[in-house]
Amino acid sequence: MYGLVCPLCISNSAAGMLLIISLFFITCAFATQVVKRAPDGVPDFVVKYAPVMYLYSADPWKPSGISSQLNNTEPRVDFKVVSDQPMTLDSLSFLNGLGGDKVYLTSKVKPYANPVPGYLFGVLPNGEGKTEGAVSSTIIVNDHGDGTVDAFYFYFYAFDRGALSIGNHVGDWEHSMIRFVNKTPTALWYSQHSAGQAFKYSAVQKYEDGVGNLRVSVYHYHGRQSRLTSR
């Protein structure tokens, strides 16, 4: 069984900036009417046509929150921990003074430990469709200034499984992108591993969101780093 996910609750920011959103989850059989809004500076059509992403119910790796990821990682330089200061999205800049581009974040507990660290499984959306306590998606809006707007819809996973246990990802961003021309969606990009596929907007599967909008469907490949046009 698949469930579907769509963006909701975008924070205020200007076009071209990173916009934090949470994920809204709906079961296939019982789609709930959602009232969405775009804050000042964010085009309404970016929210109106935001993709609906289907999650496979048997997939153990769910969307995750960045805060949880930071709480379970530590900064290192040359394999040595350089700080035990708590990290948040607002305070990460302090790492610049601890080694510059030599600083990296790594999991406090090995991802292949037994048992597997719980945070890697992400957050199961509740009955109202929300990943409680987790901001698990972002939007980046790129306004070209000539009527063309690219909206990148990013989805975060604490863990994605690679094929045959090769290419496993800890802390993985995947995305889809819609190109708008004069506020009308015209093309769509689905990320798949290090590449992806592009389609005309008219060619892909749509979902009726309950308020009269047809929105593109995106399928998260079971445990993997891919966005697909169909099951």
Side-chain angles (χ1 to χ4, degrees):
M1 176 182 177
Y2 277 84
L4 51 95
V5 174
C6 60
L8 182 70
C9 304
I10 302 180
S11 67
N12 193 8
S13 181
M17 300 297 290
L18 190 65
L19 308 174
I20 304 300
I21 66 176
S22 62
L23 288 178
F24 190 85
F25 179 92
I26 312 169
T27 64
C28 285
F30 304 101
T32 303
Q33 180 170 315
V34 182
V35 177
K36 300 176 291 296
R37 65 179 179 83
D40 294 341
V42 177
D44 289 337
F45 54 83
V46 170
V47 180
K48 177 181 178 180
Y49 291 104
V52 173
M53 187 171 69
Y54 287 74
L55 303 177
Y56 181 45
S57 59
D59 188 349
W61 315 109
K62 302 296 190 293
S64 308
I66 287 292
S67 294
S68 176
Q69 194 82 7
L70 292 176
N71 289 338
N72 287 279
T73 57
E74 58 191 9
R76 295 189 180 190
V77 174
D78 293 332
F79 304 102
K80 297 179 181 178
V81 178
V82 293
S83 175
D84 59 2
Q85 179 178 329
M87 293 180 292
T88 68
L89 290 175
D90 294 326
S91 68
L92 281 177
S93 59
F94 84 89
L95 296 176
N96 294 328
L98 300 179
D101 59 5
K102 298 183 183 300
V103 178
Y104 62 92
L105 300 179
T106 189
S107 178
K108 294 178 180 177
V109 180
K110 298 298 182 183
Y112 46 81
N114 188 11
V116 175
Y119 81 95
L120 292 179
F121 292 101
V123 178
L124 177 67
N126 64 18
E128 295 181 351
K130 298 180 180 179
T131 51
E132 291 187 3
V135 177
S136 49
S137 183
T138 69
I139 294 176
I140 297 176
V141 178
N142 182 21
D143 188 340
H144 293 260
D146 59 357
T148 301
V149 173
D150 293 333
F152 295 81
Y153 304 87
F154 279 84
Y155 321 104
F156 182 73
Y157 290 81
F159 183 86
D160 264 338
R161 186 184 62 200
L164 303 176
S165 297
I166 298 174
N168 293 344
H169 286 54
V170 176
D172 192 25
W173 285 102
E174 298 298 336
H175 75 278
S176 54
M177 185 273 279
I178 298 178
R179 168 157 289 184
F180 299 89
V181 177
N182 297 325
K183 303 182 181 180
T184 300
T186 61
L188 184 69
W189 170 264
Y190 293 87
S191 70
Q192 297 166 356
H193 304 280
S194 60
Q197 292 180 299
F199 297 88
K200 289 183 177 180
Y201 188 83
S202 59
V204 298
Q205 179 178 322
K206 309 295 194 304
Y207 166 77
E208 167 61 56
D209 68 359
V211 292
N213 299 320
L214 287 177
R215 300 165 63 186
V216 296
S217 300
V218 177
Y219 291 88
H220 176 72
Y221 184 30
H222 184 190
R224 307 291 175 80
Q225 305 98 33
S226 295
R227 310 283 77 75
L228 306 176
T229 60
S230 62
R231 304 187 195 188

